[in-house]
Every structure is written in structure tokens, then in C-alpha cells.
Amino acid sequence: MDKQAFRLALGRRNFVKMLMAGTATGVTGCIATPTDETKKIIIIGAGLAGLSAAYELEKAGHRVVVLEAQERAGGRVHTVRDPFDGDLYAELGAVRVADVHFHVLRYIEEFDLPIIEFGSGDPVYFLKGQRFMHTQDSPWPLELTEAEQEKGLGMWSDYIAAYFPDIGDPLAGNWPPSSALKYDDMTMAEYLASKGASDDFLRLYKTDNGTEVDSYAALAWMAAEVVDQDWGTTYAIVGGNDALPRAFANSLGGAIEYGAEAVRIDHDGLGVTVTFVQNGEEREVDGDYLVLAIPFPIVNEIDIVPPFADDKMEVIEELKMSPVTRVWVQTATKFWQAEGIGGLKVAKTDTGVETLWDVSSVQAGERGLLMAYMQDQNALNMAMHPEDMRGSVALNEMSAFFPDINNHAEATYQYAWQENPYARGAWAAMRPGMTAKLAPIVARPEGRVHFAGEHTSVWIGWMQGALDSGIRVADEINQDIATRSASAE
Ligand SMILES: Cc1cc2nc3c(=O)[nH]c(=O)nc-3n(C[C@H](O)[C@H](O)[C@H](O)COP(=O)(O)OP(=O)(O)OC[C@H]3O[C@@H](n4cnc5c(N)ncnc54)[C@H](O)[C@@H]3O)c2cc1C
């Protein structure tokens, strides 16, 4: 999800201050308390959720074994360097570190990773066939209400923030409150329309937040708005965001089994056994606890013996992943700057390529790297083309608003997350009617099996959510050990 620009009006905060505020909140995310009893804990998935769980559990004195299906750690934090010239690289998944994402910033600090702020500037718009740049004094060439004309995307305060009291505190144990339930059965687009947003405002809003606005559940979206409402500045890790999972993986040493795909889980009141396939051979590992830190569509294909509770199995089957396709265009120069275009989102359009991000502002060198970020139906439409055609299809679309793009382009690269067998999409696809139902079930442990992953957190679709869930399961397991040990005395 992508909701940054709306918040810029809210003012910037020093990220160290936010970091301290975040760690002081006492929300899910207190660091796991060390325990005297050493246990063996199996973790399926070496994304940020599994890695942070393993890191905190190891710190608390336990032995961890992490099973990772791929040959690298990081999951949806994946930096690709090879296809590009010079020092350019593409983030296939996570690009931005928000200054309010205190878990991400804390680990960045703990691993001593340098960060860099994204550049600022104004985008070019291409809406309803019109190409324009918007300044404070010029009217939007759109059919907006009077207030929308005046405030543009600053209508965030009226359409979104004004309703935060209804949403309540998504980090509170009994969320959502009854005042929030009226937003559970609608999409974010329906919600905005219900608050008086015009069709053209929705068009503008989607250029800033992605077309998933049309399908994503309003209640889950609003929960994310509440927890990230003070977002001001956006960072990247210098040299690529994969430095974060690599730092976790290095600290875990030999605890990670790569190329190890979990296919069966046996569990009872005493422990767990996971069957996994590695180098074509089936192997088993036993443990006292299991952390399942993989997306639900993959859990749905694993044999679980005995099955979890009916409501959990239902949610595992129901919760799908959102499609996202991206196309990168390497350019000889950052040609858009000559026109005074800048910032992270340099072109905001209602075309099939949606929004173009300048991801090169945090990278070294003269070359440019534009990333077309397509969600939902646009993502699926682009992915209907064969992989080797997607670059030229995207360039063709871009030429509507960057007519010279073909002269600037040196190379293209593409990636469709829904085609990744170990992710199945970009993030949990919260749909209307799911938020209140999932809230008490999604992260609930099933005996000795605990659940992590961005989908089990309020910060769905963020590294912060993955880390928050990893810290939470470590805490849950330590508490369970302490409770069992106390009752045995
Ligand atoms: C397109 C896109 C844009 C994003 N943008 C941002 C952003 O700007 N900022 C931000 O903070 N976040 C962003 N995110 C979200 C962020 O990347 C994720 O929320 C986070 O990385 C998820 O971590 P995870 O550990 O929950 O899951 P994953 O990273 O998916 O980790 C799961 C791991 O489990 C492994 N696995 C799967 N099946 C098995 C199996 N059967 N056996 C063993 N291992 C298995 C996978 O290989 C993977 O390594 C974005 C994500 C995407 C895809």
C-alpha cells in the first residue's frame, strides 16, 4: 500500500524521536524476555518475520532451525543488481522505510546500516488524457468538489483522519470497536465515495495510493492509516534494502537451512515435526514449537496433521495475496529533472502503468531508474503479456506522458509477484468483510504452532508488520514456556 503523500501535510518528525516513541509505546513489539528454559524452535520462512522471530528467540537462549525454501533469506525484501549498469539496482519488493516504522529503524540501527532519504519534488500527472503539473495556484483540470479543488490530496484530513475516532486503536487487544464495523463491508474506494469524494478525486487518490483502493477493505486500510498517521520522511537502506535480511541471516549463522521447502506439519501438545524437501530428499526436523512465517496461500498447501481449528483453517483458505507487477526502465540520464519533475513518484497517471517511481534518487550515478508500479487488475493485465514483452508494453504506455522515453531507455526489467511460488503476491489481500473476522483468528496460536508474517499484523504490506509479528511470536513462545513451567512446579 502506498499512502505517503497524503501525510506530508502532517509535518515531519525526527526519526530518532519516532524510534524512541515507537519503542516506548508498549504495543505488540516489546522485545522477548529471556527465559531460563532452552527450547528447540522451528521456523518456516526466512523473510523478515521468520528472521526477526529467530533472532529474538536465539537472543532469549533458544535453539532455532529456520527452514527457507529459496537459496536466500529476505523473502519479499529482494534487491536485484545484475541486470542493471553501474551501481543501479531494483527493489523487487520493499522500497521505502517510513520514519514511523520503529521496528525497522531499530534493527537498522542495531545492525548499523546506513540510510538515505528519498528526494522530494513535484510529479507530472497524466489523467483523463491530460498531461499537467500542479502548482499551489493552478486549478486541477479535474471535476472536483470545491474543497477538493482547494486542498487536493490534503483532503486526507477530511476524508480519512476525521474518522479516526470511529476506527479506534488497531493495536488494542479487542480491536475493532463497534464504531468501526460500519466500514468493514466496503472497499476503500466505496468508503471515500461515502464520505463525499468525487469520481475525479478517487482518480487522483489512486495515482498516489495504487489502484488497489478499488478492492482493498476500508477497515484494514483505515487501521494502517491510524498507525502510520505521523509518517513524514521516507528512507531507503544505502546500497539496497536486502542489507537488513542479510544482517539477520549473518547473525543467525548456520541456523538457516536453505532450499528447504516445508511440506507437512505434525503437531500435538508436546511438540512439532516438520517434513521438508531439500535437494530432492524428504527430511524431518522435530522441535518444541513451530513458527509459521509464510503467506497463507502456501500454508494452505501444506499437510497439517491434525488440522488447526476450523475457523483458522477457513481463514488460511480465504486470505489470498494481492497482485503487483513492476517494470523498471533504466535511462541514460534522469531526463525528467530537466522539466522540473522530481520526488519519488515522478509520474502519477490513470494509464495501465499507474505510477512511475524514481528509485534512482537514492542510488549512485548519473543514470536513472524508473519503476512502473502496477496493482490489482493493471498488474494482472501486464502479466498477461509474455515476460520478454512486458518492458516494451510498459514503454509504449509511458510514451503517452513521456513521449521521448524510448530515446532515453537503455534497458527494462520486470517482475510479477503473483507469479512467485513462495509469495503468491505482494501482501495479504484484505477484502471487504474480512477485517473484523480475521482480527481475533489470524495470529492466534494453535497449540505449539505460532503465526508470524506481515499478514498477521496491523502493518499489512510493510516490513514493519513482518518484524512486529516476529517479535510478537518470540514473546508469545517465551510466555508460553514460562506459563507451562510455572504450572508444572
Ligand atoms: C511489491 C512490494 C512492495 C512493497 N513495498 C514495501 C515498502 O515500500 N516498504 C515496506 O516496508 N514494505 C514493503 N513491502 C512489504 C514487505 O516486503 C513485506 O511485508 C515483508 O517483507 C514480508 O515479510 P514476511 O516475513 O512476512 O514474508 P516473506 O518475506 O514473504 O517471507 C516468507 C519466506 O518464506 C519462504 N517460504 C515460502 N514457502 C515456504 C515453504 N513451504 N517452506 C519454507 N520456506 C517457505 C519464502 O521463500 C520467504 O523467504 C512490499 C512488498 C512487495 C511485494
Side-chain angles (χ1 to χ4, degrees):
M1 285 181 296
D2 180 11
K3 311 183 187 106
Q4 182 195 7
F6 260 19
R7 300 190 184 87
L8 294 176
L10 292 173
R12 292 168 178 258
R13 296 230 178 144
N14 174 301
F15 96 78
V16 176
K17 206 167 92 197
M18 288 312 302
L19 174 56
M20 289 167 65
T23 45
T25 54
V27 299
T28 31
C30 355
I31 302 308
T33 34
T35 155
D36 292 341
E37 280 195 68
T38 298
K39 298 288 179 192
K40 182 174 169 197
I41 297 154
I42 306 165
I43 293 162
I44 303 181
L48 286 182
L51 289 167
S52 53
Y55 181 78
E56 294 301 337
L57 286 163
E58 205 174 71
K59 243 195 210 172
H62 302 295
R63 211 184 124 207
V64 298
V65 176
V66 185
L67 302 176
E68 169 52 53
Q70 302 185 74
E71 296 297 336
R72 60 168 185 90
R76 281 170 273 165
V77 182
H78 189 190
T79 312
V80 165
R81 299 176 176 81
D82 278 356
F84 302 103
D85 287 323
D87 292 327
L88 285 180
Y89 56 84
E91 297 291 1
L92 301 193
V95 171
R96 296 168 301 168
V97 177
D99 62 357
V100 285
H101 286 176
F102 49 88
H103 291 308
V104 187
L105 292 169
R106 184 178 71 78
Y107 285 117
I108 280 176
E109 196 173 66
E110 192 159 328
F111 293 124
D112 203 14
L113 304 173
I115 55 173
I116 178 169
E117 192 177 331
F118 278 101
S120 57
D122 295 316
V124 63
Y125 289 89
F126 188 73
L127 297 174
K128 297 166 96 175
Q130 310 166 94
R131 186 184 197 276
F132 60 93
M133 288 188 71
H134 181 258
T135 61
Q136 201 73 22
D137 306 322
S138 61
W140 293 92
L142 298 170
E143 289 169 55
L144 300 173
T145 66
E146 206 174 309
E148 290 168 352
Q149 259 302 346
E150 195 186 315
K151 296 189 186 173
L153 290 168
M155 287 299 286
W156 182 84
S157 322
D158 307 61
Y159 290 150
I160 293 180
Y163 298 93
F164 283 169
D166 282 354
I167 303 301
D169 177 5
L171 299 170
N174 54 355
W175 189 84
S178 55
S179 56
L181 297 180
K182 55 181 173 286
Y183 305 126
D184 196 19
D185 281 332
M186 51 178 90
T187 64
M188 192 57 192
E190 288 164 350
Y191 164 88
L192 287 167
S194 78
K195 298 299 178 202
S198 65
D199 287 351
D200 274 6
F201 179 83
L202 282 172
R203 192 182 290 274
L204 190 60
Y205 185 76
K206 281 184 240 171
T207 68
D208 206 40
N209 296 274
T211 50
E212 198 179 25
V213 171
D214 283 331
S215 60
Y216 202 85
L219 186 51
W221 188 289
M222 289 292 283
E225 290 283 358
V226 170
V227 291
D228 283 351
Q229 62 183 287
D230 289 324
W231 182 1
T233 309
T234 305
Y235 301 97
I237 298 175
V238 174
N241 289 340
D242 63 350
L244 182 57
R246 268 194 281 119
F248 274 117
N250 288 343
S251 80
L252 290 166
I256 307 180
E257 291 281 343
Y258 290 100
E261 183 172 341
V263 293
R264 179 182 163 112
I265 295 164
D266 291 87
H267 65 116
D268 60 22
L270 297 174
V272 293
T273 302
V274 177
T275 309
F276 60 99
V277 177
Q278 194 176 35
N279 297 324
E281 268 178 44
E282 214 162 79
R283 296 176 56 193
E284 282 185 0
V285 57
D286 295 324
D288 299 301
Y289 289 89
L290 171 66
V291 175
L292 251 180
I294 57 178
F296 275 2
I298 306 171
V299 177
N300 197 37
E301 289 171 8
I302 292 179
D303 282 336
I304 295 160
V305 187
F308 303 135
D310 289 351
D311 58 356
K312 183 71 140 214
M313 295 305 285
E314 209 178 291
V315 162
I316 288 172
E317 195 177 342
E318 203 177 326
L319 187 56
K320 307 287 188 254
M321 301 290 282
S322 295
V324 164
T325 304
R326 285 172 162 178
V327 173
W328 291 261
V329 180
Q330 178 187 306
T331 55
T333 62
K334 297 179 176 68
F335 67 90
W336 53 91
Q337 290 180 346
E339 239 193 297
I341 298 168
L344 177 57
K345 296 167 194 169
V346 285
K348 296 183 170 184
T349 86
D350 56 6
T351 69
V353 285
E354 296 196 20
T355 298
L356 300 198
W357 290 22
D358 169 15
V359 289
S360 48
S361 74
V362 294
Q363 303 186 30
E366 294 298 307
R367 284 195 167 89
L369 190 60
L370 293 173
M371 178 184 84
Y373 191 163
M374 290 155 275
Q375 299 184 355
D376 258 31
Q377 197 53 49
N378 284 330
L380 298 174
N381 291 347
M382 177 57 75
M384 283 182 36
H385 298 283
E387 285 182 19
D388 60 355
M389 291 295 295
R390 293 175 192 170
S392 56
V393 171
L395 280 170
N396 194 35
E397 292 255 13
M398 291 175 198
S399 63
F401 49 92
F402 281 145
D404 282 342
I405 186 97
N406 277 300
N407 296 331
H408 298 290
E410 294 182 327
T412 62
Y413 186 71
Q414 65 75 41
Y415 198 77
W417 276 96
Q418 59 279 13
E419 293 171 353
N420 179 325
Y422 301 114
R424 309 289 171 91
W427 48 72
M430 296 299 289
R431 297 292 173 247
M434 291 177 96
T435 313
K437 177 180 166 186
L438 261 64
I441 302 170
V442 72
R444 187 190 66 207
E446 296 290 322
R448 287 179 175 253
V449 182
H450 292 251
F451 295 82
E454 51 89 24
H455 55 287
T456 65
S457 144
V458 172
W459 288 276
I460 290 172
W462 293 103
M463 295 187 278
Q464 165 86 354
L467 296 172
D468 188 65
S469 72
I471 296 165
R472 171 186 48 76
V473 282
D475 207 21
E476 268 171 20
I477 290 172
N478 281 327
Q479 287 191 12
D480 191 67
I481 295 167
T483 310
R484 284 174 196 269
S485 146
S487 60
E489 276 169 14

